[in-house]
Amino acid sequence: MMGKKFIAVTAALTLTTVGLAGCSKSTSSEGGSGDTIKVGTNLELTGAVAAFGQSQLNGINLAVEEINKAGGINGKKLEVISADNASKKEESTRTATKLITQDKVDVLLGAAISGDTFAAVEVANNKKVPMLTPSATNDSITFDAKKSKLNEYVFRACFIDSFQGKVMADFSAKNLKAKNAVVYIDNSSDYSKGLAKSFTSTFTAGGGKVVAEESYQTKDTDFKAVLTRIKTLNPEVIFVPGYYEEVGKIIKQAREMGIKVPMMGGDGWDAPELAQIAGAENLNNTFISNHYSSEDKDPKVVKFIDNFKSKYNSVPDAMAVLGYDGMYMMADAIKRAGSTDKEKIKDALANTKDFEGVTGKIALDKNHDPVKAAVVLEYKDGKQTFNTKVQP
């Protein structure tokens, strides 16, 4: 879903291993609502992008375990109440409503992807409950430009699509020396359309030409007809800003058809399943924008990765690290608010400055969006490798 430092909410916080299970229930061993701060997670634990939601929940749980072991926040422990939106917009609305009205959570984390997050925005605003999405990148989630309206209770821990689209357009022109491109989008995805818009405007403004824009729908499986048309155009790059399930199939079928040009996307590619679907060798000569690189040698990043691996036996992807950063951002705001008063937490989030996360130093702008760097990663035999880092 495309800097690398982490924050200690108190001086005593240290990285530890973690284990909080959770799906549609409390995942904290600490009982007593009077002694806990309830964190509701509205995530995609099943369905089309289940890998994103589960990875993000792992990162959140890692942060919560650390915070609780260090004494909690303002004398209270964090209690995670996890719910599954099944990767569906309508379920995300229902889940957010349930977490607020029935589970009485103090704050919300999630959803993981833009469409499901949009579905919960109105709920958070109307109920006046602070909501932070770790990874939804569509620009309009926090600020609706068409209405010139700030979503007052909604925040995020990730960069936005207009930035990562620009990053990949500039990379295409400057690093790959591409003068023409095909854009192949998921027409049912807010995320995909937002990225495509940013990529196209930046690429063409720099003198490049988008020779065609093709589209598919979520859950499509056969892309050969469109790929045949794309092949006849001889593009120098193909930009596919989608999610790993369809992207993996597109890459596999493109390579089998002899399309060897660079293919690129955003952070929505970042799931271990991508290499399984596409085939490791087929991913050669592909690039994505992302939020961090697991190859970063910053000691704090290394320590985070080591502790994550020791618990989950896997290298944390961007969703995991954003879940971790998002939980720490929320905890930091609660600590500065000095209470669980939702208005005070909302104001504290809006005033976030110089937050040291694994994905970099974060300051929220007037639209509640982080100003932070992105990295470009290249796949080599199925493995992500660091290519370059881009500052905002």
Side-chain angles (χ1 to χ4, degrees):
M1 126 144 131
M2 279 201 243
K4 290 98 184 169
K5 300 177 182 177
F6 76 77
I7 185 169
V9 172
T10 68
L13 284 179
T14 56
L15 285 169
T16 63
T17 56
V18 33
L20 298 178
C23 180
S24 301
K25 64 178 182 177
S26 168
T27 60
S28 171
S29 59
E30 304 295 335
S33 59
D35 298 322
T36 62
I37 298 167
K38 292 186 176 182
V39 178
T41 63
N42 173 15
L43 293 172
E44 297 82 345
L45 302 179
T46 59
V49 289
F52 288 166
Q54 188 57 61
S55 183
Q56 201 158 105
L57 183 61
N58 288 344
I60 290 168
N61 284 340
L62 175 57
V64 167
E65 182 75 1
E66 292 170 10
I67 292 166
N68 285 345
K69 285 190 174 183
I73 303 297
N74 302 328
K76 293 187 176 185
K77 297 296 179 69
L78 296 175
E79 177 186 6
V80 174
I81 300 175
S82 175
D84 177 17
N85 63 38
S87 305
K88 296 178 180 178
K89 295 177 183 179
E90 63 274 16
E91 283 297 310
S92 182
T93 301
R94 184 195 64 79
T95 296
T97 302
K98 176 185 177 296
L99 286 167
I100 293 171
T101 61
Q102 296 183 33
D103 297 312
K104 307 296 184 183
V105 298
D106 297 296
V107 296
L108 286 171
L109 287 181
I113 67 172
S114 293
D116 296 339
T117 302
F118 270 126
V121 165
E122 186 174 355
V123 177
N125 279 330
N126 288 345
K127 300 295 185 182
K128 299 186 184 302
V129 175
M131 173 178 130
L132 186 148
T133 171
S135 56
T137 52
N138 187 281
D139 291 26
S140 298
I141 283 167
T142 52
F143 182 80
D144 188 337
K146 292 180 180 179
K147 298 180 181 179
S148 296
K149 179 189 174 186
L150 177 70
N151 289 319
E152 189 177 358
Y153 283 82
V154 181
F155 304 82
R156 70 176 113 214
C158 55
F159 51 61
I160 59 179
D161 285 338
S162 56
F163 175 55
Q164 71 168 327
K166 181 180 184 301
V167 166
M168 295 313 290
D170 287 341
F171 182 82
S172 299
K174 297 174 183 177
N175 296 68
L176 301 181
K177 309 300 182 185
K179 296 180 180 178
N180 67 74
V182 166
V183 177
Y184 192 13
I185 70 171
D186 179 349
N187 206 34
S188 59
S189 165
D190 296 313
Y191 163 80
S192 187
K193 289 185 285 188
L195 260 178
K197 180 180 178 181
S198 176
F199 176 91
T200 298
S201 62
T202 303
F203 191 69
T204 55
K209 182 178 181 181
V210 174
V211 295
E213 181 176 292
E214 297 283 356
S215 65
Y216 63 92
Q217 299 281 322
T218 299
K219 297 186 179 180
D220 282 352
T221 58
D222 187 348
F223 306 92
K224 294 185 180 69
V226 173
L227 289 170
T228 298
R229 290 200 299 271
I230 291 174
K231 186 177 181 181
T232 64
L233 296 171
N234 294 314
E236 294 176 301
V237 295
I238 303 172
F239 185 58
V240 193
Y243 295 124
Y244 63 90
E245 185 73 29
E246 291 79 23
V247 167
K249 295 181 176 73
I250 290 169
I251 293 170
K252 184 175 189 293
Q253 292 172 30
R255 297 311 193 211
E256 288 173 349
M257 294 171 62
I259 299 174
K260 302 299 184 183
V261 298
M263 300 180 73
M264 305 183 304
D267 56 341
W269 289 31
D270 187 25
E273 288 80 355
L274 179 67
Q276 299 168 16
I277 297 167
E281 185 176 349
N282 291 329
L283 280 172
N284 289 336
N285 203 26
T286 66
F287 306 84
I288 63 170
S289 51
N290 214 344
H291 304 271
Y292 99 121
S293 169
S294 61
E295 294 186 336
D296 194 313
K297 300 307 178 185
D298 184 305
K300 295 170 184 175
V301 178
V302 171
K303 191 171 186 180
F304 163 73
I305 292 172
D306 286 346
N307 283 288
F308 188 95
K309 287 170 66 176
S310 70
K311 176 59 185 179
Y312 297 111
N313 196 32
S314 63
V315 176
D317 59 14
M319 290 293 169
V321 73
L322 287 171
Y324 180 88
D325 273 1
M327 184 65 253
Y328 265 107
M329 280 181 65
M330 185 65 83
D332 175 61
I334 296 169
K335 182 172 185 285
R336 287 186 286 110
S339 76
T340 54
D341 181 274
K342 295 175 177 61
E343 186 79 9
K344 291 181 179 179
I345 295 171
K346 180 259 295 181
D347 291 342
L349 275 169
N351 289 320
T352 298
K353 299 176 182 177
D354 298 326
F355 175 91
E356 297 285 355
V358 174
T359 56
K361 182 179 287 188
I362 296 172
L364 294 185
D365 64 18
K366 64 181 181 179
N367 292 338
H368 299 173
D369 298 328
V371 179
K372 60 193 295 192
V375 297
V376 176
L377 304 178
E378 179 179 359
Y379 283 92
K380 294 183 178 179
D381 295 326
K383 304 293 184 182
Q384 292 181 355
T385 61
F386 177 81
N387 185 287
T388 189
K389 183 177 180 180
V390 182
Q391 297 294 338

